[in-house]
Amino acid sequence: MFDVQAIESLFYLLVPLLYGAGAVATGLATKPNNLLVRSLTFKLAFVSAVAAAITSWLWPVAGVWFSHGPLASIMLLLITLLGMVLGRFSERYLAGDPGQRSFMVWLQVILASVAFIAITNHLLVFLISWIAISISLHQLLMFFPDRPRAALAAHKKFIFARIAELCLGAGFLLLYVQYDTPFIDRILAQVSASPELPAAAHGAAILMAAAALFKCAQMPFHGWLIQVVESPTPVSALLHAGVVNLGGFLMILMAPLIVQASAAQWLLLLVAGPTAVFASLVMMTRISIKVRLAWSTCAQMGWMLVECALGLYELALLHLVAHSAYKAHTFLNAGNTVELSMKKRLVAINEPGPRQWLTAASFAALFMLPTIFLANESAPADLFSWVVPGIALTILLSEFLSASGGVLTLGRGLLLGAVFWALYWLQKTFFGLVLTPPDSQAGLEAVGFVAVLIALLVRGYYQIRYHRFTSAGARLYRFLFAAGYLDEWSTRLTLKIWPAKLPNVVRPRAMVSVSSTSGSRESA
């Protein structure tokens, strides 16, 4: 009779071990482009993740050092799939670059560390892996060390990462002292069984929420995320599709604790909520595709943390997976994204009229109301989770209807709305069944706060989208284009506390001679 728990643990452990072995083999390889070793590493890691997911689904058992739950399986599949894509892309993108071997080594170290975070059930292993990710990512952010903006972004990221690690370590220490065990599942079991959360656990939840906010680059500590576009494209894809999501994963993993800590929930709401609204509007003012995607990531991380604060953990997990896949595709496909964006700018923007808005709202209500009835959900946060996509669908359909008219357009709009709503419903239901999140959700006050934020977002979107050139629209656009100067203040404070010696930009000799010649002519 075989030991199911040992086999499952082996499959889970194989993933980070394969990445670690691949990093060592890449570093020791005699040929810089040892494609066979690296391609096998990424493929075998994905196969191991699939095997781990299948065995844990067929024979669910409780692990000790490793988490065998659905959350670990989903994260492991996501990590290995993205790793396989990023590894293949990086082989061609950095072909011939002298730093390619070093890049591939650190890439696999990061993937191994993220995999350990996804599967571990031990606080110390989680913390060590979290730190290893930050240190390894710093090496990739400094891939072009002669670029001042890249060095500045890496410097700010280094400082904020240390603060996040201190918060996370202090939170874990409080949990260990309070519950006398380093194993995460045993801590969460005691939390769920206790009618009241101890003060130490409350403090730990607040510290972990702060760590998640720093990790997810929430304002005003967001500037480094916007500036890391100076690094190679695979680094941006890895960061935006994987590493920056770890704050949300931490909140989902610790859901039984967070739902009982109202202070931690409000900390997430008060920081991540305004960040999500502001970053969503700032994104509309950006011209550079990569910078726009970076602001989009900042906003999406904010919304994901808001969902965690509301107790909608299945929606947060759906958000995490969808955002990872979307950002990996858009960054690696940035060339086509630029072309698509330029084509959109050539299309005239037609403001929807009252008829289009009413028709779109009717279509959205046609999908939303039966869904709420069939889902049999009455909690304010659950109802809100259906209202928000209804608002998004209303805006989408109104712009679709304003572009053209006729019965055919109405039919296409109805079909588009049906597909949109069916996909959202199926995915939300699937992640709810797989994750089985805690029943406790935020109250009416928290939902009302988020509703105000959604109203501000819709109002700002309407102003920038359709009335940008009015006096009010121009003022708002200028303010958003400067992003409230939050990053400038954050950068000044950071450099005062911990100064950084940035590399000097050395101009080529030919450029120096030309500029000096032109200068002498002007003076003559």
Side-chain angles (χ1 to χ4, degrees):
M1 188 66 178
F2 58 89
D3 189 345
V4 176
Q5 181 175 327
I7 294 176
E8 287 187 18
S9 298
L10 177 62
F11 282 136
Y12 279 103
L13 187 59
L14 268 178
V15 175
L17 290 182
L18 282 169
Y19 284 131
V24 173
T26 303
L28 298 178
T30 56
K31 296 181 180 180
N33 293 322
N34 193 349
L35 304 181
L36 179 61
V37 173
R38 292 196 286 268
S39 62
L40 279 178
T41 298
F42 292 117
K43 291 178 182 177
L44 288 176
F46 179 70
V47 171
S48 299
V50 173
I54 292 175
T55 54
S56 64
W57 178 63
L58 293 177
W59 301 288
V61 295
V64 180
W65 284 82
F66 302 102
S67 174
H68 295 180
L71 179 60
S73 299
I74 292 172
M75 292 299 298
L76 213 57
L77 287 172
L78 179 64
I79 293 164
T80 53
L81 179 61
L82 291 177
M84 196 162 52
V85 174
L86 287 172
R88 183 177 178 82
F89 183 90
S90 301
E91 293 285 355
R92 300 180 180 180
Y93 183 86
L94 297 173
D97 193 293
Q100 183 187 32
R101 179 191 295 189
S102 174
F103 178 92
M104 297 303 296
V105 169
W106 289 114
L107 172 63
Q108 293 176 93
V109 170
I110 291 177
L111 291 173
S113 302
V114 176
F116 265 122
I117 279 186
I119 67 174
T120 188
N121 189 38
H122 198 280
L123 294 177
L124 185 59
V125 177
F126 192 107
L127 179 61
I128 293 174
S129 301
W130 184 288
I131 296 173
I133 292 170
S134 297
I135 295 175
S136 304
L137 182 62
H138 184 79
Q139 310 303 316
L140 295 184
L141 295 180
M142 291 297 292
F143 188 81
F144 297 124
D146 56 336
R147 295 186 178 183
R149 285 177 60 85
L152 178 60
H155 177 71
K156 292 194 292 184
K157 168 67 171 66
F158 186 85
I159 295 175
F160 298 149
R162 301 292 81 77
I163 298 174
E165 290 157 8
L166 287 174
C167 292
L168 184 63
F172 282 178
L173 181 60
L174 287 175
L175 290 179
Y176 176 74
V177 172
Q178 176 66 41
Y179 296 105
D180 196 26
T181 177
F183 296 105
I184 298 174
D185 61 342
R186 296 177 184 176
I187 292 174
L188 297 180
Q190 294 184 56
V191 168
S192 301
S194 176
E196 186 176 352
L197 203 61
H202 265 290
I206 294 172
L207 287 169
M208 285 187 288
L213 291 169
F214 276 104
K215 196 69 174 181
C216 291
Q218 298 299 280
M219 291 183 176
F221 312 106
H222 65 288
W224 65 268
L225 183 66
I226 312 303
Q227 294 159 1
V228 294
V229 294
E230 292 283 329
S231 57
T233 296
V235 179
S236 298
L238 172 68
L239 175 63
H240 290 263
V243 175
V244 78
N245 293 289
L246 290 177
F249 172 74
L250 174 64
M251 294 293 97
I252 296 171
L253 179 66
M254 296 293 180
L257 174 63
I258 302 300
V259 295
Q260 297 191 42
S262 58
Q265 293 175 335
W266 275 104
L267 176 62
L268 293 175
L269 286 174
L270 293 175
V271 178
T275 296
V277 173
F278 194 70
S280 299
L281 295 176
V282 170
M283 180 187 66
M284 299 178 63
T285 67
R286 292 305 183 258
I287 299 175
S288 170
I289 294 300
K290 282 190 174 182
V291 174
R292 185 185 302 176
L293 291 174
W295 278 105
S296 169
T297 296
C298 184
Q300 295 303 321
M301 292 301 99
W303 291 124
M304 182 173 61
L305 293 177
V306 167
E307 291 158 359
C308 292
L310 293 177
L312 301 171
Y313 290 98
E314 75 284 358
L315 191 57
L317 181 58
L318 167 60
H319 206 145
L320 189 154
V321 173
H323 177 265
S324 296
Y326 169 71
K327 280 299 162 65
H329 176 267
T330 49
F331 270 104
L332 299 183
N333 195 40
N336 291 333
T337 306
V338 171
E339 181 180 358
L340 180 62
S341 176
M342 294 181 68
K343 288 180 179 179
K344 287 183 177 180
R345 293 177 190 174
L346 298 176
V347 178
I349 299 177
N350 298 319
E351 181 181 355
R355 179 178 298 178
Q356 283 84 14
W357 283 113
L358 182 59
T359 305
S362 301
F363 280 174
L366 180 65
F367 298 120
M368 182 174 60
L369 296 178
T371 305
I372 294 175
F373 176 76
L374 293 175
N376 194 24
E377 295 174 339
S378 57
D382 278 328
L383 295 176
F384 197 65
S385 68
W386 296 107
V387 172
V388 172
I391 296 173
L393 182 59
T394 300
I395 296 174
L396 177 66
L397 290 178
S398 65
E399 295 185 350
F400 183 82
L401 294 174
S402 66
S404 57
V407 178
L408 181 61
T409 301
L410 291 176
R412 291 173 60 189
L414 190 61
L415 178 61
L416 176 66
V419 172
F420 170 87
W421 202 262
L423 289 175
Y424 176 77
W425 188 2
L426 290 174
Q427 292 177 90
K428 184 176 182 296
T429 303
F430 169 77
F431 281 100
L433 294 174
V434 168
L435 189 61
T436 58
D439 294 331
S440 178
Q441 293 182 351
L444 192 58
E445 298 84 1
V447 174
F449 176 75
V450 179
V452 172
L453 294 178
I454 295 292
L456 291 174
L457 176 61
V458 173
R459 181 65 183 90
Y461 174 86
Y462 184 83
Q463 186 72 46
I464 295 297
R465 178 74 170 169
Y466 303 115
H467 300 283
R468 171 185 165 184
F469 297 104
T470 62
S471 59
R475 288 195 300 270
L476 177 61
Y477 190 92
R478 286 195 300 269
F479 177 73
L480 293 174
F481 188 80
Y485 300 102
L486 291 175
D487 182 50
E488 284 74 10
W489 287 105
S490 176
T491 302
R492 291 176 183 176
L493 180 61
T494 301
L495 294 178
K496 279 185 178 181
I497 296 174
W498 192 338
K501 185 178 180 180
L502 302 180
N504 295 322
V505 179
V506 180
R507 293 184 295 177
R509 184 179 300 275
M511 185 180 297
V512 174
S513 61
V514 170
S515 61
S516 61
T517 304
S518 60
S520 62
R521 287 178 181 176
E522 289 177 359
S523 60

